[in-house]
Amino acid sequence: MEREIDIKTWNRRRTYEFFKDFEDPFFNMTSNLDVSKIYTFSAEYDFSYSLACLFFSQQTVNEIPEFRIRQLDNKLVQYDLVEATQTILQDDETFSFCYFEHKPNIVQFDQAGKEAREKYKALNTFDVETERLDLIYYSVIPWVSFTSFKHATRFDKTQTIPRIVFGKYFYEGDVLKMPVSVEANHTIMDGIHVGKYFNQFQGKLDSVD
């Protein structure tokens, strides 16, 4: 379900109109998040660490309205719920995409996510929910603790699906950290909204027990 945003009364109208004609309206922010507790939690309960991060990230984006706004034709709509697609590695070191359906808790998400990875690994396709806008695009780069990230692009300024990347975790002293990159279209959100994502995502990673 989605509802159309009345741009005339939208509090970000001026910002939207400022950026909507930019050839490249995209911006990217990267932060190192503390994943010490979620890593231990995943190991203790036999959850996939990657799926646990994805679950709590998806909880976070769905709490922030701007992450659920998309451009549809010549209007903006806000979805009630957004789901996830993510890159998965194939045995020949190529990659494909996997769709992860929303689940109400991490137990169900972990189980369904493990089944989805097997299903989509066998399908080995880029054609995954390609017509949908109610998604977040995720990538996983577990080989590099990057400090910044740039996505391939067609320079389609109407592309409004945020892209989130998880990198290789690393130790900083006794703290296990993971770089997380967020790319968004400035017409639908600003740095404050990405900042909310990082802060609220960190809060969820810290709250597991």
Side-chain angles (χ1 to χ4, degrees):
M1 296 290 293
E2 76 275 356
R3 67 172 181 85
E4 184 175 354
I5 292 176
D6 184 354
I7 297 175
K8 293 180 181 179
T9 61
W10 191 28
N11 68 322
R12 293 192 67 261
R13 175 183 175 180
R14 288 190 308 161
T15 312
Y16 167 78
E17 291 178 343
F18 180 78
F19 284 108
K20 70 182 179 67
D21 293 325
F22 276 41
E23 293 182 6
D24 180 11
F26 305 98
F27 71 100
N28 191 301
M29 296 171 64
T30 300
S31 182
N32 293 325
L33 300 187
D34 182 347
V35 293
S36 305
K37 292 192 71 173
I38 192 66
Y39 184 85
T40 302
F41 172 82
S42 300
E44 181 178 355
Y45 290 100
D46 197 30
F47 293 139
S48 160
Y49 163 77
S50 176
L51 288 175
C53 291
L54 182 60
F55 173 76
F56 288 112
S57 176
Q58 280 298 102
Q59 275 198 333
T60 304
V61 298
N62 275 294
E63 292 173 355
I64 303 171
E66 288 74 16
F67 276 83
R68 294 183 277 109
I69 295 173
R70 304 289 182 268
Q71 182 167 324
L72 178 61
D73 299 323
N74 293 317
K75 61 184 180 181
L76 293 180
V77 298
Q78 181 176 300
Y79 289 94
D80 293 338
L81 177 76
V82 292
E83 297 185 305
T85 63
Q86 189 177 64
T87 56
I88 52 175
L89 186 67
Q90 295 290 335
D91 293 336
D92 62 358
E93 297 188 352
T94 61
F95 73 93
S96 58
F97 293 123
C98 181
Y99 164 62
F100 293 95
E101 185 179 0
H102 170 77
K103 296 295 179 184
N105 60 65
I106 191 171
V107 175
Q108 294 180 35
F109 189 84
D110 181 77
Q111 180 179 351
K114 288 172 179 174
E115 293 171 356
R117 287 195 301 203
E118 292 302 314
K119 170 186 174 181
Y120 284 95
K121 185 174 182 179
L123 288 173
N124 193 4
T125 180
F126 287 169
D127 187 19
V128 176
E129 306 294 325
T130 52
E131 301 302 315
R132 291 177 57 177
L133 296 178
D134 56 336
L135 297 170
I136 301 289
Y137 291 155
Y138 286 87
S139 297
V140 181
I141 311 292
W143 313 281
V144 182
S145 298
F146 54 76
T147 56
S148 63
F149 200 90
K150 181 185 180 302
H151 291 273
T153 181
R154 295 188 177 93
F155 287 104
D156 177 5
K157 61 186 179 183
T158 66
Q159 166 61 252
T160 47
I161 297 178
R163 300 169 184 261
I164 298 176
V165 187
F166 299 150
K168 179 183 179 180
Y169 53 73
F170 64 96
Y171 278 98
E172 190 173 274
D174 295 330
V175 179
L176 189 65
K177 293 190 173 183
M178 180 179 72
V180 179
S181 162
V182 178
E183 181 178 282
N185 190 316
H186 230 324
T187 60
I188 65 167
M189 74 174 75
D190 305 314
I192 188 173
H193 307 113
V194 179
K196 288 180 180 180
Y197 166 80
F198 284 129
N199 291 333
Q200 293 174 214
F201 186 21
Q202 182 67 75
K204 294 183 185 301
L205 297 177
D206 290 341
S207 66
V208 296
D209 53 28

